[in-house]
Amino acid sequence: MTSQAAPDASPPRRVRRKQGDLVLTGRGGYLDDIELPGTLHATVVRSTEASADLLEVDLEAARRAPGVRWAMDGHELAEHVPALVPLVDPSRFGLRSSPTPVLAVDRIRYEGEPIAVVVADTLAQAEAAADTVQVTYSRRPAVLDAETALADDAALLFPEWKTNAIGEIPFSDGDPDARYAQAPHVLEGEMSIQRYNAAPLETRGYLASWGADERLTLYASTQNPHPLRTQLAEMFKLPPTQIHVIATRMGGGFGHKFAGFPEEVLVCVLSRLVGAPVKWIETRAESMLVGGREYLHRFSVAFDDQGRILALRDRILGDIGALGTSAGWGMVYVAGMTFPGPYLVADYDVQAVPVVTNKPPWNGAIGYGKESASLVLERMVDMIAHALGIDPVDVRLTNFIPADAFPYFTKSKRLDSGDYAAALRAVLELGDYTGLRHRQAIAQDDDALLGVGVALELCPEGSDSPGVLLRGYDTSTVRIDPMGSVAVLTGVTSPGTGNETGIAQVVAAELGLDVEQVSVWQGDTDISPYGYGNFSSRGMNVGGGAAVLAARELKTKLRAAAAGMLQADPESLVFHGGRIRPGDGDGIAFADVVRAIYDYSIALPALGDPQLEATRTYHPPNLLHIPDEAGRTSSYPTFPYSAHLALVEVDRDTGVVRVLEYSCVHDCGVIINQNFVDGQLLGSIALGIGGALWEALPYTPDGHLTARTFKHQLLPRAPDLPPIRLGHQVTPSPFTVLGTKGAGESGVAGAIAVMSCAVNDALKPLGIHAHTMPLSPPNVLRALQEAGR
Amino acid sequence: MIRTPLRFHTPADAEEAVGLLAEHRERASVIGGGTVIVPLMSRGERAIDHIVDLTKLRLDRIELIDDRVVLGARVTYRQIIDSAICRRHVPLLLDMAAGITGGAQLRNQATLAGSACHANPASDAPAVLVALDARMRLEGPAGERELAADDFFLDAFTSTLSTDELLTSISLSCGSEGFGYHKLKHCTGSWPIVTAAAVRHDGGRCTVTIGGARATPLHLVEVGDRSLDDAVAAGLAQPWSDELASGEYRRAVVGAVVRRALAAIRQPLR
């Protein structure tokens, strides 16, 4: 299927954000700004042990503390609700899984595991009471990294599994063994990536309230209001219509707010018991318990004298922490699936192994595993260049999937469209690659270590996984009221990116209206069609795509009615400037046609039937879940990509890395609003640089997290980032309604990879590499010390 | 969230303030800008019932008295940055204040004396105070006492200040012929990892005070290239470790930080 006819007028590309002034001036309102009358406040008592038997939870003092309305442990809670309903259950993929209680009952598997909950009149009272809870543990051995967890004698988190691996997920094609046997060159390497997470400015939060009619209302800072409603309906054994989930304006999601957390259920249970609204807001320290991204890669690559990759292997251990009930573990799957990235490699063997350990569970973290694959692939390519003494750019150009090969099928994805070489060449031009190499050479004379990095990131988007609560399709309704204004109700939500403005733009463009005439309604399960919220940069593709299809349905109807009113040929009519016009004629106002249908349809048969509401469910067609005759599948429909170029300086005495120059050329297919695409891309690059250089959630050998504040987990601030030059290249998706591929996530992986490539380029003259992430001063200095400086 | 009900006191004079501290001891705290104590209370890491605010004691002036710059305990980093006296007589302090992380909000609120009392090894103030030969004036039940900054900092997060004492002012020497300050940190949001404040005195003699490398500032006199490494090694038998960097890392970089501070020495603007 190819994209359908373009709307009569191209959408304006720099429309300002709807309600942007409210957000910018702090008047937008977030979850914690909602205070229902009589709201009580909950706090969670968490395990201080990483691995233990839970012997006793003494809540006596807490129950007597001032203001406390209820305090309960896991035993009491289990009388009200069963185990958590997973959002993305590994068992649906044939992998190991186990039920997770809302509050721990007898076994503690990580520091921070919820043990009890206290609700009081004020948060201060709840926290003071929680401090009095006495917990008795009997310590058990803990496993704190994936490799140790896979040792024969490792303590098991779930003894019934007989291993700590959720499974081994293969992504292989061709005959790598044969290629390796004949390859002129083989290189091996190992890279480790630290545990860190997404750090939304607004942490998670939930506010539950039961009406007199026994109907539950849950305000939630969540990415997936409808799936959350499904989970709650299953747990409370209620029809979903008895539950109203309202996803409030979100101050960042990044995967951190995928549904499937114990606190979502706790506030609902407590609110019902105490008969008052109950709120819980995640503290910053609690948000740092949620992990992500900790991988160990052991890889090799076989190549010829020209630098052409003949085959590659990678075994990826993902340390996913204890088993979670959200979507975190899936990042290991995607890390494997992303191979071999933008490169034409027919023979490869990649094994992705999610491993449970005694750390808190992962949730999603922007990049979602793709950043891990990108990092390793880009380093592989640089290592080839280094070994052969050729330019890393040339090795990439040699190995890219050529522009005329699309759509290009690999074993686990069908790449939609692209021109990787053109993007790379464009970024070299934008960032003056030759000039950067020159600066590097001059600096070498002064004994300074400058490094130039290039990287190309492939970013699969729009994930669809049959069998789980999170699907890739979505639904939008377009409704026109008698005054001619348009409401779009959609199942996709905005994590704060502004996709509501983009959706309004494409619907307005279809109907020839101003963006102001289109409102978008999201996140309210009583209002919006059932949908999956925000993840995988899919808002415009599926929410916007569905809305456009629905708008087109209404447009056909309006065209016929207008043709009747104007006595014109329907095919000659264009929708533009709020009017429906025959060719160069003045035509009739859009609102007048709508009003005529409301007021005179049926009476005047030429106006057609009065239905001015259409709903469409849309999934991008580029998905293949049942393997084809060649055993190929594709669980992602679109594949944005970006090329990155950076110059860094490494301080040889201290290991400090400074980013001096940064350029990026990005291709997300058709751009609906460049303001948003640029904003997302700049944010993603900042996230990538931060994760490559500083961010970390380290654990002590006995399983205690050492980062509790942003003074421990270091995020980049403005002075840490250079001015970032952006360029865009547009190769429309031949599959999606709008030709879009998705923007939001892409850029993170490329930024991480290009930092690693640039730093290692700087270290190259010393004959060393730094493959332990992050490239923080201590880690870089350790590498420098190995070189004897 | 602050768990304890708080009583906010605004004593009229030092005697009353000391009386409050003596009465409530570890359940009371003097508050300066609150940029340390309030987050500690919010995270439940420090529980107190009584806040002693020194607004009525004034203590917010920067003065030149007998060749020393005297800063009241409530002087903020912003006041230091804006002070002509500091600019002229203790430019090292001004340099340090301008580099405090946290932006305008923090510099407008946080106080130098508050940072000294917190005595975080990974902070700018302790070593710079030692470098400037600071004298700390304390008020307690027995009256006033004054001691050198070097004697004030006892250990990580520990000063000689007892629970019934308050720091009222800090006076600094302004006789230097030149100074250089270098702060190593991971990135903008990072605590200082290692700092070095180099001061050149009459006759060209240099001292260097190292911060962040061990629990308390390391003050080195008569530094030359050869003696430096030995002195550093001797002084850093037990280097400081925290969430951001190990003692091993600090020891490895301290030489470079000191050399950079010495290389940065320049004449004060007079």
Side-chain angles (χ1 to χ4, degrees), chain A residues 193-194 196 375 646-650 655-662 685-696 712-717 719-722 748 751-760 770 772-781, chain B residues 185-188 190 244:
Chain A
I193 303 164
Q194 81 278 19
Y196 67 111
L375 173 65
L647 178 71
V648 302
E649 179 170 13
V650 177
V656 170
V657 175
R658 247 182 358 125
V659 189
L660 304 178
E661 302 285 345
Y662 202 105
I685 290 168
L687 275 162
I689 293 174
L693 300 185
W694 306 296
E695 295 174 41
H712 307 136
Q713 186 189 14
L714 301 176
L715 271 54
R717 300 191 186 185
D720 298 313
L721 303 169
V748 177
I752 295 172
V754 83
M755 285 296 107
S756 170
C757 290
V759 168
N760 280 290
T772 302
M773 303 295 282
L775 298 166
S776 61
N779 281 344
V780 173
L781 190 71
Chain B
K185 53 183 191 173
H186 290 349
C187 57
T188 305
S190 156
L244 297 183

Side-chain angles (χ1 to χ4, degrees), chain B residues 1-268:
Chain B
M1 187 62 57
I2 297 172
R3 288 119 161 109
T4 48
L6 291 175
R7 185 84 193 275
F8 195 86
H9 304 271
T10 52
D13 53 34
E15 197 182 339
E16 189 186 341
V18 168
L20 286 162
L21 295 177
E23 184 184 348
H24 303 295
R25 294 281 174 169
E26 64 279 354
R27 300 301 298 182
S29 174
V30 170
I31 193 164
T35 58
V36 170
I37 189 81
V38 173
L40 283 175
M41 289 192 293
S42 297
R43 293 197 297 266
E45 293 169 20
R46 175 92 197 266
I48 54 176
D49 308 312
H50 299 272
I51 294 280
V52 180
D53 175 87
L54 305 182
T55 311
K56 288 184 181 165
L57 277 66
R58 304 175 70 104
L59 305 178
D60 55 359
R61 299 190 59 181
I62 300 173
E63 295 169 295
L64 188 64
I65 302 176
D66 298 337
D67 269 0
R68 290 184 73 85
V69 175
V70 181
L71 302 101
R74 294 185 55 250
V75 167
T76 62
Y77 292 117
R78 168 53 57 194
Q79 282 176 274
I80 292 169
I81 294 164
D82 291 342
S83 159
I85 291 175
C86 289
R87 183 172 302 277
R88 186 173 162 83
H89 297 286
V90 281
L92 167 60
L93 186 71
L94 200 127
D95 242 33
M96 180 215 90
I100 294 285
T101 304
Q105 288 166 310
L106 189 119
R107 290 192 287 270
N108 287 343
Q109 198 170 338
T111 64
L112 177 69
S115 180
C117 292
H118 187 45
N120 181 357
S123 66
D124 291 80
V128 167
L129 291 176
V130 170
L132 290 171
D133 186 27
R135 299 199 59 81
M136 322 294 277
R137 182 168 286 236
L138 315 183
E139 184 90 26
E144 281 191 342
R145 64 175 175 133
E146 194 177 274
L147 71 164
D150 216 7
D151 300 322
F152 181 79
F153 299 106
L154 296 182
D155 204 345
F157 303 101
T158 307
S159 72
T160 180
L161 201 67
S162 75
T163 51
D164 57 1
E165 281 183 310
L166 63 107
L167 175 63
T168 55
S169 70
I170 299 171
S171 80
L172 306 171
S173 158
C174 43
S176 80
E177 287 295 301
F179 72 93
Y181 189 57
H182 189 82
K183 169 158 64 173
L184 175 70
K185 53 183 191 173
H186 290 349
C187 57
T188 305
S190 156
W191 280 322
I193 304 298
V194 175
T195 66
V199 178
R200 187 164 62 214
H201 302 272
D202 282 345
R205 183 180 65 92
C206 282
T207 61
V208 174
T209 314
I210 300 165
R214 60 176 202 179
T216 56
L218 174 60
H219 187 60
L220 303 176
V221 292
E222 297 289 351
V223 289
D225 253 6
R226 293 237 2 224
S227 61
L228 180 66
D229 291 340
D230 294 343
V232 167
L236 296 187
Q238 286 183 295
W240 175 244
S241 287
D242 65 15
E243 292 83 352
L244 297 183
S246 66
E248 189 190 350
Y249 175 78
R250 287 168 209 266
R251 203 167 9 210
V253 297
V254 70
V257 175
V258 169
R259 278 188 291 279
R260 288 171 192 188
L262 287 168
I265 289 183
R266 61 186 190 274
Q267 296 286 331

Side-chain angles (χ1 to χ4, degrees), chain A residues 557-567 593 597 600-609:
Chain A
K557 176 185 291 281
L558 291 166
R559 186 189 298 277
M565 292 168 77
L566 292 166
Q567 303 284 303
V593 178
I597 292 172
Y600 295 105
S601 61
I602 305 166
L604 297 178
L607 292 171
D609 71 73

